[in-house]
Amino acid sequence: MNVREATAADEQTLLRFTRELFDENWQRPWRPPEVTTSMFEGKLVLLAEDDGEPVGYAFGELDPHGYAHVNLVYVVPERRRRGATTALLKEFAARAREAGIGHLTLDVATDNIVGREVWRRLGFSEWSQRLLVPVERLEQHGLAGESYASLHVQTDAREAVEAAVAKYLPRFGGSGAAVEGPRNGWVAVYAELVDRDRRARERLASELSNALAAVVCAIGVEDGAVVRYVLYERGSVVDEYQSVPEHFGPLPPGDVVALGANPTVVSRLTGADPGSVRAVARTAPSPDQLPPADELLQQLAEVLGLEGAGRR
């Protein structure tokens, strides 16, 4: 395997390799750049050859501030796993060392499992994360609607719930809770912290469920747009629902599925009719594809038997 710096005579090979790479493995949520020779201007471009035949390339930049960055690495499919990638990166590293540079960086998509494993074996380690947000979502940040919620403890022992809330709520930075009921076999808990802090709400729900050995449902509306509940039994999450699963950010497909209600579990814990749960607890990619959040919350609360859900 021979690695050398590419020349003007290699331009068509480099363009072909780049198109093949983009066709095979472009994973970014925007379109790939136009493939032209301008991509390589001012870059270190290395070409790998096997018996004089081009089999792959790497290009990037040597930054005078102390690191080298590899933009792209590509090896034709039939020549992979034969050392071409390692040879290209070793030569890139040698050029970096000659320039007084001590570190080499590259980007890899988080879902590119094969690529991540290749780079790990070559000694790369994660030191930062590049985050992504749709422009529309960022523009709408701060324009969200009201969030409100309530906790519902499956018990008639209101005084026990009051004592447990008084014990645990201050630990999460809250105070001034209102405890009401029992209504339909549930005691409801309302508090400012429960309204505004989803994580604190769900931690409190878990503590109450564990301390009281009871089923607890944390339910509410997020940002005026999304309905969410979490059901706990003896402190552990047993079912979770969110009407727009990726409202708080992109999720793996399995997590999106997990945020759909489980009618069988809900029925066992609350006595709700599974068919009614399935009909009401729908999910969608956008709030626009569902009933208004206030309305959806009330439909869901009625199915679950939670009087006074959400608002006091």
Side-chain angles (χ1 to χ4, degrees):
M1 186 71 62
N2 177 55
V3 176
R4 63 173 175 82
E5 193 163 346
T7 69
D10 301 309
E11 285 182 352
Q12 292 306 311
T13 297
L14 299 175
L15 294 173
R16 175 169 59 85
F17 281 172
T18 305
R19 293 189 189 98
E20 291 174 357
L21 170 61
F22 288 170
D23 288 344
E24 176 186 347
N25 196 33
W26 183 262
Q27 297 175 304
R28 294 163 178 80
W30 53 85
R31 294 177 301 179
E34 183 181 0
V35 178
T36 68
T37 55
S38 64
M39 300 175 67
F40 312 117
E41 293 177 0
K43 308 284 188 180
L44 171 61
V45 185
L46 301 176
L47 190 68
E49 296 175 319
D50 192 5
D51 292 331
E53 180 185 354
V55 297
Y57 81 123
F59 80 88
E61 52 195 328
L62 305 181
D63 192 289
H65 298 295
Y67 71 94
H69 184 75
V70 180
N71 294 108
L72 293 176
V73 181
Y74 176 72
V75 176
V76 295
E78 62 271 19
R79 298 299 182 95
R80 293 174 187 172
R81 300 183 182 274
R82 298 185 185 181
T85 297
T86 300
L88 284 164
L89 288 178
K90 281 187 174 181
E91 181 62 23
F92 209 102
R95 301 296 183 97
R97 186 180 62 252
E98 291 171 2
I101 294 172
H103 292 87
L104 191 67
T105 65
L106 54 77
D107 294 332
V108 59
T110 54
D111 60 354
N112 184 355
I113 305 302
V114 174
R116 287 166 63 111
E117 179 60 22
V118 169
W119 305 136
R120 187 194 64 78
R121 290 200 304 267
L122 288 172
F124 287 87
S125 60
E126 185 174 304
W127 68 277
S128 68
Q129 287 187 324
R130 178 178 292 184
L131 305 181
L132 172 75
V133 63
V135 171
E136 181 180 357
R137 177 174 293 175
L138 193 60
E139 289 176 335
Q140 293 176 348
H141 184 71
L143 301 178
E146 181 185 10
S147 296
Y148 59 91
S150 56
L151 306 182
H152 299 263
V153 185
Q154 195 178 62
T155 181
D156 290 331
R158 174 174 170 170
E159 291 183 357
V161 175
E162 289 175 331
V165 171
K167 177 180 178 180
Y168 292 108
L169 183 60
R171 297 184 183 183
F172 304 124
S175 62
V179 179
E180 298 183 358
R183 294 179 295 210
N184 198 29
W186 298 85
V187 173
V189 179
Y190 307 90
E192 188 269 338
L193 180 68
V194 169
D195 286 335
R196 65 176 169 81
D197 190 328
R198 175 169 57 95
R199 288 180 176 81
R201 172 199 318 153
E202 293 175 4
R203 290 174 64 193
L204 176 60
S206 176
E207 292 288 359
L208 294 180
S209 175
N210 185 58
L212 299 169
V215 172
V216 174
C217 181
I219 186 169
V221 169
E222 301 285 348
D223 301 338
V226 177
V227 176
R228 176 178 172 82
Y229 77 64
V230 185
L231 275 167
Y232 297 84
E233 187 175 31
R234 295 188 178 274
S236 297
V237 175
V238 290
D239 193 44
E240 193 171 4
Y241 164 78
Q242 190 166 293
S243 59
V244 183
E246 295 187 294
H247 176 72
F248 299 108
L251 296 170
D255 290 354
V256 172
V257 173
L259 285 173
N262 185 324
T264 301
V265 172
V266 174
S267 178
R268 176 176 67 83
L269 296 177
T270 69
D273 174 66
S276 298
V277 174
R278 191 175 295 109
V280 172
R282 293 170 291 156
T283 61
S286 166
D288 297 337
Q289 300 175 33
L290 295 168
D294 288 354
E295 179 181 326
L296 180 58
L297 174 70
Q298 293 310 313
Q299 292 175 359
L300 191 55
E302 182 176 351
V303 169
L304 299 180
L306 305 177
E307 295 185 26
R311 300 180 189 272
R312 185 182 178 191

